[in-house]
Amino acid sequence: MVTPPHPKFIQIETNILCNASCPFCPQHKVERRPKIMEDAVWHKIIDETRGLGVTYRPFLINEPLTDKRLGEILRYIRLDDTAKIELNTNGGLMTRAKALDILGAGIEVIRFSIDGFSADSFAKSRIGLDYEETVKRTLGFIELSGQRDGAGRIEVRMIETEFTRHEIEPFLTFWREAGAEPVITTLYHWPWEPGVSGINRPCLKILEEMFIYVNGQVTLCCWDTLERAVIGDITREHTLEVWNGETNARFRRLLSEGRRDRILLCSRCDAYKDHVFEKSSSSLSQ
């Protein structure tokens, strides 16, 4: 498999905070320190990848709106005319001031995760958040975006579960009429969570994406919550040296061959188990 010279997407865990406690998310198990990424670290990542057309995602296993520096981070990214920005949020902290900060910087994609079309179903998935308030804040962002043309695409996502399946059609209709792009997703399995067994298949996650923890360490995959597949350290290495380094190359080779059993993290992961892969002698294609 041929490795591109730089990542197309870089996710930066600017902190490890979240305002919700969702039963399907292992965020509460994360014990990395510091809780907030030092300014010098995220500056360094962005500086070392300027001019490459990278799409930055300033979040990982955290809620990006918990970071008071978010507007500052977005504006710093925007100093690069080739850069793009994507955000995922649960919407619970989307105040008008934060919305204006985000829209002022400009953003290509923002995804709101609202798992339910009723307070009852929402409460089963998004513990700690208020359904009515979250919907109100999301609608407020959509309205402001329409006034200021500050977001390229606004998605509102719902995970299909036994609690939400009967609400899919009204969910799609409501958010489409509100001016967003509604998306129904499936619940993925985090590696090493109870009941998850490994499969020996290739993986698409490692082809174009780079994932950086709050402490500056780089992991192979965004689903690596407990640092089982660290491939480098931004505080000691150049960002592109990590991307093109031997550790990352070795993991990529193994995954292109479907040898998940040779990587601790991936040995208990079933991602892309239903994907149809075609493999040639030199590359992995979709």
Side-chain angles (χ1 to χ4, degrees), residues 172-187:
L172 293 174
T173 299
F174 177 85
W175 287 109
R176 191 177 294 118
E177 292 178 352
E181 180 179 332
V183 177
I184 305 300
T185 64
T186 57
L187 187 64

Side-chain angles (χ1 to χ4, degrees), residues 79-131:
L79 295 176
D80 175 4
D81 291 337
T82 74
K84 298 179 181 179
I85 302 171
E86 294 182 1
L87 273 183
N88 287 13
T89 177
N90 60 43
L93 298 175
M94 186 62 80
T95 62
R96 179 181 174 85
K98 290 183 179 180
L100 291 173
D101 226 6
I102 292 168
L103 293 169
I107 190 168
E108 274 66 37
V109 182
I110 184 166
R111 303 178 181 93
F112 290 85
S113 296
I114 302 181
D115 295 314
F117 192 63
S118 66
D120 287 343
S121 58
F122 182 82
K124 293 180 175 67
S125 298
R126 298 287 169 175
I127 298 172
L129 301 180
D130 179 85
Y131 175 70

Side-chain angles (χ1 to χ4, degrees), residues 53-282:
V54 171
T55 296
Y56 296 91
R57 297 166 174 164
F59 63 90
L60 193 53
I61 187 165
N62 65 303
E63 165 54 49
L65 297 187
T66 60
D67 196 325
K68 296 179 180 179
R69 307 165 301 172
L70 181 60
E72 177 189 354
I73 294 169
L74 300 184
R75 289 188 292 273
Y76 195 75
I77 292 171
R78 281 296 184 213
L79 295 176
D80 175 4
D81 291 337
T82 74
K84 298 179 181 179
I85 302 171
E86 294 182 1
L87 273 183
N88 287 13
T89 177
N90 60 43
L93 298 175
M94 186 62 80
T95 62
R96 179 181 174 85
K98 290 183 179 180
L100 291 173
D101 226 6
I102 292 168
L103 293 169
I107 190 168
E108 274 66 37
V109 182
I110 184 166
R111 303 178 181 93
F112 290 85
S113 296
I114 302 181
D115 295 314
F117 192 63
S118 66
D120 287 343
S121 58
F122 182 82
K124 293 180 175 67
S125 298
R126 298 287 169 175
I127 298 172
L129 301 180
D130 179 85
Y131 175 70
E132 300 294 343
E133 186 64 25
T134 300
V135 170
K136 177 182 176 181
R137 290 171 184 256
T138 304
L139 290 172
F141 182 91
I142 296 170
E143 181 180 1
L144 279 175
S145 179
Q147 296 170 359
R148 297 169 182 268
D149 194 27
R153 185 168 83 247
I154 302 172
E155 294 182 8
V156 180
R157 295 186 162 207
M158 181 173 77
I159 300 172
E160 180 180 354
T161 67
E162 60 179 310
F163 310 119
T164 64
R165 193 166 294 120
H166 67 288
E167 298 177 339
I168 288 178
E169 289 306 319
F171 176 92
L172 293 174
T173 299
F174 177 85
W175 287 109
R176 191 177 294 118
E177 292 178 352
E181 180 179 332
V183 177
I184 305 300
T185 64
T186 57
L187 187 64
Y188 55 77
H189 302 143
W190 295 80
W192 286 82
E193 287 299 295
V196 179
S197 58
I199 57 172
N200 277 338
R201 300 289 308 282
C203 181
L204 302 176
K205 203 66 180 170
I206 47 89
L207 296 180
E208 300 178 325
E209 302 177 60
M210 190 173 192
F211 313 97
I212 305 172
Y213 291 138
V214 70
N215 56 14
Q217 291 192 321
V218 185
T219 178
L220 182 68
C221 179
C222 61
W223 295 327
D224 183 12
T225 57
L226 298 179
E227 302 166 74
R228 289 187 171 97
V230 172
I231 62 173
D233 188 338
I234 293 299
T235 66
R236 301 180 181 183
E237 305 165 81
H238 191 286
T239 304
L240 297 182
E241 289 178 351
V242 176
W243 176 256
N244 292 303
E246 175 53 34
T247 302
N248 197 23
R250 177 168 54 85
F251 282 166
R252 281 171 171 270
R253 284 194 297 269
L254 290 170
L255 288 173
S256 70
E257 298 167 0
R259 298 303 309 275
R260 298 191 189 191
D261 58 311
R262 299 288 298 277
I263 304 172
L264 179 64
L265 172 71
C266 310
S267 65
R268 289 272 299 277
C269 177
D270 62 6
Y272 305 109
K273 64 181 179 180
D274 297 321
H275 187 87
V276 177
F277 290 94
E278 294 178 2
K279 190 174 180 183
S280 68
S281 59
S282 60

